[in-house]
């Protein structure tokens, strides 16, 4: 990317000389990344620049510099672009560079391919084309190469061959101590051996008006014709001493540029007038010019001893730089009665219009100038210290009121004007043909930098920190009788107020607003506001020149508004001079009409003149210069430009470099790109001439890039189509394998799930069966429980029956025993025969039927008891089993006695005998034993 260096560096060498110079682009060795010295310059048909540099061959496409080193890494002394080949000459070698399909230059040595002998330490300082021949010139030889037959011819000289020239399809060369030669039929021919040509070096040989002009190093200009060599004196030589000229060129307009050894360059007109002398103090990178070249757009390229410069001589801009700070920052400028006046922070300066002399100071005006206004053909100067009337470089102070911001004539009053000051408004009147301060308008003390008349008694005043005020003035202009703040527009730093096209406009960071008198309101003007919307707002300062153009200032442009002739609509025109290059004071921008379409723009270190007639639009074409691909492992390769790209998946890091060959200082190139296949829209405009895309996914893409200069887009859009292949794991084979594996996986999963669901069904069936079995068991259990419950109920019933039967038997036997006892007593006392009755009672007490009933009831209640007892104690008798049954019923001996019809003592004896029979331990209760059995 080219480096722009601010070159408003015109040094005022003397009080009698002040130049307005064209823009200069400085390219330092650090910028182009090569050595200091540059020996020859050429340009290709696609407008690329090629420079012979100490480090090698330099290529510049308007955006990027590229260095190609020679095979033997020596100094390149000469370069010449012919068709699609770049011919170079360097130490003991010459040849050509051809661009390959990847956009890279490749060198082919012509001298190595021939059988010609290259002399020891020979270097090639110049290359000239004639028809199909390319001639390489060293200090001792000329090697001619035929581009079709590959034939070589050599011309050698005995002394130093200074330079080879082509004039009107004829070849000439100069040899020191011999004279000027031409080449005829491949042989050298001496045509002039004038002592001047023998002893001095020819640094320029041109054709002008059918005459040949020669420039020498030390003796000036000569005309060469059939009569010999004749010295000529050009107009510039009358006031300029002959410089030590090292190189020269003739321009397309017939003018000349001379490069000196120590005093920069001289630009000479066709008629010999000195147009410019530019040295290091004027903005040139170095005072020693080694080579000169005029490109296709008329720019002058200067190969210097320390850098490369490009002078935009056809640009509509010229610069006057106040390098010493004598003038200061310009706040106002105007042309009046044939003089150019500059109002600065150091006072008022002037000079005659069109003169090149230095600006003179108007004595008595030292200090800050705020405005320059013409009223009735008289020039007024608004100053920090008061107000001055200026006449042909002299001043007359008419007011001591501090801070004269601006002046406006009172509508309808030819002898009155209002001045805005630091403390309000002041009225000036003209009496006896003399202007003088009348009085301050009462009741208003606000600083009034910007104000305009709405009517003869109404004023709009803008204060950037307070806002806009509507002032009503008394009819006698003695006071402000009403003040109303307008809230339609916001206060804004660097805002301003101006009348343009019969409308008052206020400009602030939000836009430009027009004042509607009928409604007394501000309304946003969409057309004018687009000035700030399409570029960054820096200042709301508006200027209306004496032609009727409205000027506004933004970050990248100066904008001027004109009216279309057919419909009267506003037309916005842009001039590409950025804020950084204008170097102006924000809020105090100023521009003044000079004459014709020429304007003067004040800056903080001088001024810029602009010729609107010379503004032109160039149709540029953008090209993609280089494409590189970087893989994940770090390998990088250049890509073929002319065919569709096909990249591996790992080569998904692509970098694009592009440019337009624009070499003018104020032609700022901006680029916008679009990657079809990844992004939907175009990128934002940027000055960066490269872009890189990382980790691009596989797919088809088309990269497109366009450019614009000064808001004018290129006539074409460069594009490159490419494809990023799928990675190996997404290739067709891999996908087929994935499909097979997927099928196998699904098959395996299907089998697995089939087995799984079968087992699930089996488990479910088993579970269901188990559940059914459990339910059946539970049902059976419930049935059993019901049966057991029924049995228990039956047992309880039987037990109740047994208990009742037992109790009945006990009661019956007790009753019978009681009766028996009574009978026995009666028998003894009365002697009655009751024996039959006693026998009957005994029979009923020992009734077998009762035992049988009891045994049956007991078996129902405890059916297994007798079986258990018999199994355990088979030795027991029936009476023993009967006793066991009573013990099972947990009957006491007293309760058992009646049942057995024996005494309680006899029951105890039976219990004892039973314990013995069953061998029951003493510690075990007999009843408990049978209860638990």
């Amino acid at each position: 990317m080219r480096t722009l260096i601010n070159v408003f560096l015109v040094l005022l060498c003397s009080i009698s000389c002040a130049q307005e110079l064209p823009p200069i682009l400085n390219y330092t060795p650090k910028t182009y990344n090569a050595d200091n010295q540059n020996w020859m310059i050429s340009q290709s048909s696609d407008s690329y620049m090629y420079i012979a540099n100490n480090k090698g061959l330099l290529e510049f496409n308007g955006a990027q510099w590229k260095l190609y080193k020679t095979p033997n890494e020596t100094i390149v002394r000469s370069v010449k672009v012919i068709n699609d080949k770049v011919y170079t000459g360097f130490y003991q070698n010459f040849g050509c560079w051809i661009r390959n399909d990847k956009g890279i230059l490749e060198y082919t040595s012509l001298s190595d391919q021939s059988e010609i002998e290259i002399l020891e330490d020979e270097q090639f300082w110049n290359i000239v084309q004639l028809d199909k021949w390319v001639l390489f010139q060293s200090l001792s030889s000329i090697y001619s190469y035929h581009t079709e037959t590959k034939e070589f011819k050599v011309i050698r000289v005995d002394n130093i061959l200074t330079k080879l020239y082509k004039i009107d399809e004829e070849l000439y060369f100069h040899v020191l101590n011999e004279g000027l030669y031409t080449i005829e039929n491949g042989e050298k021919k001496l045509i002039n051996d004038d002592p001047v040509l023998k002893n001095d070096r020819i640094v320029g040989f041109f054709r002008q008006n059918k005459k040949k002009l020669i420039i020498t190093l030390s003796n000036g200009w000569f005309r060469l014709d059939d009569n010999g060599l004749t010295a000529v004196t050009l107009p510039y030589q009358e006031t300029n001493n002959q410089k030590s000229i090292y190189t020269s060129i003739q321009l397309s307009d017939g003018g000349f540029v001379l490069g000196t050894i120590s005093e920069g360059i001289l630009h000479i007109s066709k008629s010999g007038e000195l147009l410019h002398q530019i040295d290091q103090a004027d903005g040139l990178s170095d005072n020693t010019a080694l080579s000169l070249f005029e490109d296709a757009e008329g720019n002058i390229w200067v190969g210097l001893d320390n850098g490369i410069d490009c002078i935009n001589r056809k640009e509509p801009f010229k610069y006057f730089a106040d390098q010493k700070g004598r003038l200061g920052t310009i706040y106002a400028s105007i042309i009046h009665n044939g003089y150019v006046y500059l109002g600065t922070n150091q006072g008022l300066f002037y000079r005659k219009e069109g003169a090149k002399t230095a600006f003179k100071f108007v004595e008595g005006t030292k200090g800050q100038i705020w405005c320059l206004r013409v009223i009735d053909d008289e020039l007024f100067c608004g100053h920090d210290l008061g107000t001055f009337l200026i006449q042909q470089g002299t001043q007359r102070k008419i007011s001591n009121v501090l801070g004269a911001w601006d002046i406006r004539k009172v509508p309808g009053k030819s002898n009155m004007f209002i001045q805005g000051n630091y403390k309000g408004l002041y009225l000036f009147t003209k009496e006896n043909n003399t202007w003088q301060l009348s009085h301050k308008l009462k009741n208003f003390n606000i600083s009034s930098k910007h104000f305009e008349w709405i009517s003869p008694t109404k004023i709009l005043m803008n204060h950037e920190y307070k806002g806009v005020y509507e002032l009503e003035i008394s009819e006698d202009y003695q006071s402000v009788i009403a003040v109303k703040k307008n809230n339609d527009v916001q206060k804004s730093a660097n805002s301003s107020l101006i009348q343009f096209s019969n409308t008052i406009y206020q400009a602030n960071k939000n836009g430009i607003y027009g004042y509607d008198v009928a409604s007394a309101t501000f309304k946003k003007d969409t057309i004018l506001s687009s000035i700030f919307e399409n570029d960054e707002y820096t200042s709301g300062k508006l200027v209306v020149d004496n032609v009727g153009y409205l000027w506004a200032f933004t970050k990248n442009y100066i904008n001027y508004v004109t009216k279309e002739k057919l419909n009267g609509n506003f037309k916005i025109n842009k001039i590409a001079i950025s804020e950084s290059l204008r170097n102006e004071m924000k809020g105090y921008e100023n521009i003044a009409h000079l004459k014709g379409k020429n304007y003067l723009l004040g800056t903080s270190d001088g001024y810029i003149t602009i010729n609107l007639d010379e503004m032109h639009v160039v149709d540029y074409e953008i090209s993609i210069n280089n494409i590189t691909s970087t893989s994940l492992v770090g390998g990088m390769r250049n890509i073929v430009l002319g065919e569709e790209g096909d990249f591996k998946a790992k080569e998904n890091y692509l970098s694009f470099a592009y440019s337009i060959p624009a070499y003018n200082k104020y032609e700022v190139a901006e680029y916008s790109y679009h990657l079809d296949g990844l992004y939907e829209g175009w990128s934002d405009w940027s000055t960066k001439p490269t872009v890189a895309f990382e980790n691009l996914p596989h797919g088809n893409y088309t990269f497109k890039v366009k450019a614009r200069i000064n808001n004018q887009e290129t006539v074409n859009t460069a594009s490159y189509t490419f494809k990023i292949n799928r990675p190996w794991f997404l290739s067709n084979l891999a996908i087929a394998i994935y499909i097979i594996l997927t099928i196998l996986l699904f098959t395996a999963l299907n089998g697995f799930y089939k087995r799984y669901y079968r087992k699930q069904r089996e488990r479910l069936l088993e579970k269901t069966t188990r559940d059914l079995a459990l339910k059946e068991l539970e049902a059976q259990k419930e049935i059993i429980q019901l049966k057991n419950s029924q049995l228990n109920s039956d047992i309880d019933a039987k037990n109740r029956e047994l208990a009742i039967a037992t109790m009945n038997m006990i009661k019956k036997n007790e009753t019978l025993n009681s009766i028996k006892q009574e009978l026995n007593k009666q028998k003894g006392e009365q002697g009655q025969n009751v024996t039959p009755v006693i026998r009957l009672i005994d029979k009923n007490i020992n009734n077998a039927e009762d035992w049988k009933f009891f045994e049956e009831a007991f078996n129902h209640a405890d059916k297994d008891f007798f079986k258990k007892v018999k199994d355990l104690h088979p030795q027991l008798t029936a009476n023993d089993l009967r006793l066991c049954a009573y013990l099972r019923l947990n009957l006491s001996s007293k309760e058992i006695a009646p049942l057995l019809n024996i005494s309680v003592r006899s029951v105890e004896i039976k219990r004892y005998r039973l314990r013995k029979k069953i061998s029951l331990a003493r510690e075990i209760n007999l009843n408990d034993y049978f209860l638990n059995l």
Side-chain angles (χ1 to χ4, degrees):
M1 180 66 185
R2 67 188 183 186
T3 301
L4 300 180
I5 301 177
N6 192 340
V7 292
F8 303 122
L9 301 173
V10 181
L11 180 64
L12 295 174
C13 299
S14 69
I15 194 89
S16 63
C17 182
Q19 297 187 93
E20 295 174 357
L21 299 176
I24 304 174
L25 284 167
N26 302 123
Y27 301 104
T28 66
K30 186 176 291 186
T31 302
Y32 54 74
N33 197 27
D35 211 345
N36 296 19
Q37 294 179 315
N38 301 278
W39 298 99
M40 193 171 178
I41 304 172
S42 188
Q43 186 179 32
S44 63
S45 58
D46 54 7
S47 297
Y48 285 19
M49 302 305 300
Y50 295 90
I51 297 97
N53 182 269
N54 279 5
K55 284 284 188 179
L57 174 65
L58 280 173
E59 179 188 64
F60 183 45
N61 57 28
Q64 302 104 357
W65 290 89
K66 188 173 182 63
L67 175 66
Y68 294 94
K69 293 187 176 182
T70 60
N72 56 13
E73 297 189 0
T74 57
I75 297 173
V76 176
R77 298 289 187 181
S78 57
V79 60
K80 179 73 172 179
V81 181
I82 303 173
N83 299 325
D84 60 345
K85 295 181 176 63
V86 182
Y87 291 88
T88 56
F90 45 97
Y91 180 76
Q92 289 197 294
N93 204 301
F94 59 81
C96 64
W97 302 77
I98 302 175
R99 195 177 305 279
N100 62 22
D101 54 5
K102 298 176 183 178
I104 307 299
L105 291 179
E106 295 179 340
Y107 181 71
T108 301
S109 174
L110 299 176
S111 57
D112 290 346
Q113 293 177 1
S114 68
E115 297 179 356
I116 60 174
E117 179 185 359
I118 303 296
L119 302 181
E120 187 69 22
D121 289 335
E122 193 168 24
Q123 299 189 56
F124 298 91
W125 292 83
N126 194 16
I127 301 172
V128 174
Q129 178 194 14
L130 180 63
D131 298 328
K132 296 181 180 180
W133 291 89
V134 180
L135 295 88
F136 300 88
Q137 174 240 317
S138 70
L139 297 181
S140 57
S141 308
I142 298 174
Y143 297 83
S144 302
Y145 168 72
H146 197 281
T147 56
E148 291 184 354
T149 64
K150 315 302 180 186
E151 176 187 0
F152 276 95
K153 291 184 178 181
V154 182
I155 297 176
R156 301 198 187 276
V157 299
D158 297 327
N159 292 296
I160 296 177
L161 195 162
T162 61
K163 192 76 177 278
L164 173 66
Y165 299 94
K166 184 178 78 169
I167 307 294
D168 294 338
E169 303 303 315
E170 293 184 13
L171 295 172
Y172 300 89
F173 62 90
H174 176 244
V175 181
L176 284 178
N177 299 321
E178 295 182 21
L180 184 64
Y181 288 85
T182 186
I183 300 176
E184 292 183 0
N185 300 320
E187 300 294 333
K188 63 181 179 179
K189 178 182 177 181
L190 183 65
I191 61 172
N192 193 293
D193 58 356
D194 188 283
V196 173
L197 300 184
K198 283 185 176 184
N199 300 320
D200 202 355
R201 182 187 294 266
I202 295 178
V203 294
F205 194 4
F206 311 108
R207 170 78 70 180
Q208 187 183 51
N209 300 326
K210 299 183 180 180
K211 297 177 182 178
K212 296 183 179 70
L213 289 178
I214 292 176
I215 311 174
T216 62
L217 177 65
S218 304
N219 291 292
W221 294 71
F222 296 86
R223 182 180 296 113
L224 179 66
D225 54 26
D226 295 338
N227 296 323
L229 199 66
T230 305
V232 295
T233 301
L234 299 183
Y236 86 93
Q237 293 176 290
E238 296 176 0
T239 55
N240 294 77
N241 295 325
Q242 175 66 40
K243 311 295 181 182
S244 296
I245 308 300
Y246 182 82
T247 184
S248 62
I249 58 170
Q250 186 175 23
L251 302 176
S252 57
D253 62 3
F256 304 92
V257 178
L258 311 181
T260 71
I261 293 175
S262 59
E263 299 183 37
I265 66 169
L266 286 78
H267 183 191
I268 311 299
S269 70
K270 184 178 181 180
S271 59
E273 302 285 345
L274 178 63
L275 299 178
H276 306 293
Q277 179 185 344
I278 307 174
D279 58 15
Q280 195 165 358
D282 301 321
L284 215 59
S285 295
D286 188 79
N287 280 334
T288 301
L290 301 178
S291 57
L292 298 166
F293 181 79
E294 182 185 19
D295 67 17
E297 293 184 17
N299 298 312
I300 300 172
W301 291 79
V302 187
L304 299 163
D305 197 55
N306 185 26
I308 302 167
D309 285 359
C310 178
I311 303 172
N312 306 144
R313 71 181 185 93
K314 289 190 175 182
E315 281 290 278
F317 312 110
K318 297 293 183 292
Y319 305 90
F320 176 90
D322 179 31
Q323 182 65 18
K324 289 185 176 180
R326 180 172 173 265
L327 298 180
T329 300
I330 296 176
Y331 282 78
S333 59
I334 198 169
I335 288 185
H336 181 63
N337 292 337
Y339 287 90
V340 178
Y341 291 91
L342 302 178
T344 77
N345 63 334
Q346 299 188 34
L348 184 63
F349 297 82
Y350 76 102
R351 76 178 180 190
K352 282 190 175 183
E353 183 181 0
K356 292 186 178 181
T357 56
F359 281 90
K360 297 178 182 179
F361 176 66
V362 177
E363 296 297 333
T365 63
K366 188 174 182 60
Q368 177 70 59
I369 305 294
W370 292 124
C371 72
L372 293 171
R373 297 293 182 198
V374 173
I375 296 178
D376 293 337
D377 202 34
E378 293 184 276
L379 178 60
F380 293 86
C381 172
H383 197 285
D384 174 60
L385 300 177
T387 306
F388 297 86
L389 188 62
I390 308 300
Q391 293 178 342
Q392 294 186 349
T394 63
Q395 57 84 17
R396 180 172 66 87
K397 197 170 187 180
I398 62 174
S399 169
N400 290 316
V401 177
L402 299 181
W405 285 121
D406 207 350
I407 297 170
R408 290 288 183 269
K409 193 172 181 180
V410 177
K413 305 288 185 179
S414 61
N415 63 337
M416 299 171 63
F417 69 78
I418 291 285
Q419 184 182 82
N421 288 71
Y422 294 164
K423 293 294 185 179
L425 299 172
Y426 290 79
L427 180 69
F428 286 73
T429 60
K430 190 174 185 180
E431 297 179 4
N432 299 323
N433 208 31
T434 301
W435 287 99
Q436 60 186 5
L437 173 64
S438 175
H439 59 270
K440 180 182 183 296
L441 274 67
K442 300 176 183 178
N443 305 325
F444 189 74
N445 299 310
I446 297 176
S447 178
S448 303
K449 184 190 295 185
H450 304 289
F451 66 95
E452 294 288 348
W453 290 96
I454 302 174
S455 70
T457 57
K458 286 188 177 180
I459 288 177
L460 274 180
M461 192 280 292
N462 178 78
H463 191 289
E464 59 183 331
Y465 301 124
K466 295 179 180 293
V468 175
Y469 293 88
E470 299 175 8
L471 311 179
E472 187 173 349
I473 312 298
S474 62
E475 292 186 359
D476 58 3
Y477 298 100
Q478 291 294 317
S479 63
V480 177
I481 59 177
V483 178
K484 178 183 178 183
K485 187 174 181 181
N486 188 293
N487 296 315
D488 296 332
V489 292
Q490 297 180 358
K491 59 185 180 181
S492 173
N494 304 324
S495 60
S496 72
L497 192 80
I498 200 76
Q499 183 163 322
F500 171 64
S501 188
N502 299 319
T503 301
I504 298 174
Y505 291 95
Q506 197 264 6
N508 59 60
K509 64 182 179 181
N510 298 311
I512 298 177
Y513 297 79
Y515 184 76
D516 182 69
V517 177
S519 61
T521 59
F522 280 96
K523 297 179 180 178
K524 189 171 185 177
D525 190 296
T526 56
I527 296 177
L528 295 180
S529 296
S530 66
I531 293 174
F532 297 148
E533 293 169 359
N534 295 331
D535 195 20
E536 185 176 336
Y537 172 89
T538 57
S539 171
K541 180 64 180 295
L542 300 177
V543 177
V544 175
D545 62 38
N546 55 15
V547 176
Y549 292 172
L550 174 68
W551 296 81
F553 307 86
T554 56
K555 182 177 182 179
N556 296 302
Y557 299 100
I558 298 174
N559 309 268
Y560 68 97
V561 181
T562 59
K563 278 194 170 185
E564 296 183 359
K565 293 182 179 180
L566 295 179
N567 55 20
N569 291 338
F570 290 145
K571 179 183 178 182
I572 298 173
N573 307 273
K574 295 180 179 294
I575 301 174
I577 304 181
S578 67
E579 173 194 22
S580 60
L581 295 174
R582 297 195 303 263
N583 198 21
E584 63 212 351
M585 185 69 68
K586 287 185 180 180
Y588 297 93
E589 296 86 350
N590 60 95
I591 189 167
H593 176 250
L594 298 176
K595 64 178 180 179
K597 289 296 185 72
N598 289 283
Y599 286 83
L600 187 149
L601 174 70
T603 71
S604 62
D605 53 4
Y607 62 82
I608 304 171
T609 61
I610 305 170
N611 188 337
L612 298 183
D613 280 336
E614 293 182 1
M615 299 294 295
H616 58 278
V617 176
V618 179
D619 292 330
Y620 288 106
E621 289 190 8
I622 187 171
S623 60
I624 297 174
N625 309 317
N626 181 250
I627 304 173
T628 57
S629 170
T630 305
S631 65
L632 293 174
V633 296
M636 186 178 73
R637 66 185 181 96
N638 292 305
I639 306 303
V640 176
L641 299 177
E643 61 185 40
E644 185 174 329
D646 193 345
F647 300 98
K648 297 178 181 178
K650 63 181 180 180
E651 297 177 321
N652 61 347
Y653 183 114
L654 292 181
S655 177
F656 297 85
Y658 35 83
S659 68
I660 52 177
Y663 305 112
N664 292 329
K665 186 181 183 73
Y666 297 109
E667 290 185 341
V668 180
E670 297 176 296
Y671 304 92
S672 178
Y673 61 84
H674 169 59
L675 186 58
D676 188 16
L678 185 65
Y679 302 124
E680 292 184 359
W682 289 81
S683 69
D684 294 333
W685 291 101
S686 168
T687 56
K688 188 177 180 182
T690 59
V691 66
F693 300 98
E694 300 181 18
N695 300 322
L696 288 173
H698 65 86
N700 296 315
Y701 299 93
T702 297
F703 174 76
K704 299 177 181 178
V705 62
K706 59 184 178 181
R708 69 179 183 185
I709 287 184
N710 301 347
N711 223 30
Q712 177 73 27
E713 290 193 13
T714 50
V715 296
N716 72 314
T717 298
S719 64
Y720 176 75
T721 302
F722 63 97
K723 175 184 179 182
I724 302 290
N725 287 301
R726 290 177 291 187
W728 63 267
F729 53 84
L730 293 178
S731 63
N732 292 333
L733 177 61
I735 291 174
I737 293 174
Y738 297 153
I739 292 173
I740 294 172
L741 291 176
T742 302
I743 293 172
L744 293 175
L745 177 63
F746 275 109
T747 302
L749 288 174
N750 185 50
F752 169 77
Y753 280 114
K754 281 184 176 180
R755 290 192 299 273
Y756 172 77
Y757 285 119
R758 185 174 64 250
K759 289 182 178 180
Q760 284 287 87
R761 286 195 299 271
E762 290 175 354
R763 284 195 292 270
L764 184 60
L765 181 60
E766 181 180 351
K767 182 176 180 299
T768 303
T769 303
R770 187 169 57 252
D771 290 344
L772 290 174
L774 288 174
K775 288 181 179 179
E776 185 177 354
L777 289 174
E778 288 177 357
Q780 291 177 356
K781 182 178 178 182
E782 289 179 0
I783 293 172
I784 292 171
Q785 287 177 347
L786 291 173
K787 289 182 177 181
N788 289 338
S789 178
Q790 184 66 37
L791 289 174
N792 289 332
S793 298
D794 293 343
I795 290 171
D796 290 341
K798 296 296 182 180
N799 288 334
R800 284 193 299 272
E801 290 179 4
L802 179 61
I804 293 170
T806 302
M807 293 304 298
N808 290 333
M809 289 175 62
I810 291 170
K811 291 292 182 182
K812 186 193 75 169
N813 288 342
E814 285 179 351
T815 302
L816 291 177
N817 282 326
S818 296
I819 294 172
K820 180 179 175 181
Q821 289 174 2
E822 287 294 325
L823 289 178
N824 284 327
K825 286 179 181 181
Q826 291 292 333
K827 179 181 176 182
E829 293 177 0
Q830 297 179 7
Q832 293 178 2
N833 188 14
V834 289
T835 301
V837 176
I838 293 172
R839 281 198 299 270
L840 179 62
I841 289 171
D842 287 336
K843 181 180 178 181
N844 279 290
I845 291 174
N846 297 313
N847 192 344
E849 291 296 329
D850 291 340
W851 169 250
K852 186 176 180 180
F853 172 77
F854 175 82
E855 184 179 16
E856 183 179 349
F858 187 85
N859 283 333
H860 282 294
D862 197 354
K863 60 181 178 180
D864 293 329
F865 177 75
F866 288 121
K867 184 176 182 299
K868 291 179 182 178
V869 173
K870 288 180 181 180
D871 290 339
L872 291 173
H873 308 289
Q875 72 274 21
L876 296 178
T877 63
N879 287 329
D880 292 334
L881 291 174
R882 188 175 180 180
L883 178 60
C884 290
Y886 294 147
L887 293 174
R888 174 78 168 180
L889 294 176
N890 199 22
L891 299 177
S892 64
S893 297
K894 185 177 180 181
E895 291 171 330
I896 296 172
L899 295 176
L900 296 178
N901 196 22
I902 58 176
S903 65
V904 175
R905 176 68 179 164
S906 297
V907 174
E908 290 296 332
I909 292 171
K910 279 186 174 287
R911 288 172 64 98
Y912 176 76
R913 288 174 180 170
L914 179 61
R915 178 181 291 272
K916 286 290 186 179
K917 285 185 179 181
I918 62 176
S919 302
L920 186 66
R922 294 178 58 87
E923 63 269 14
I924 298 174
N925 184 274
L926 185 63
N927 284 38
D928 291 339
Y929 173 75
F930 286 108
L931 286 172
N932 295 325
L933 190 64

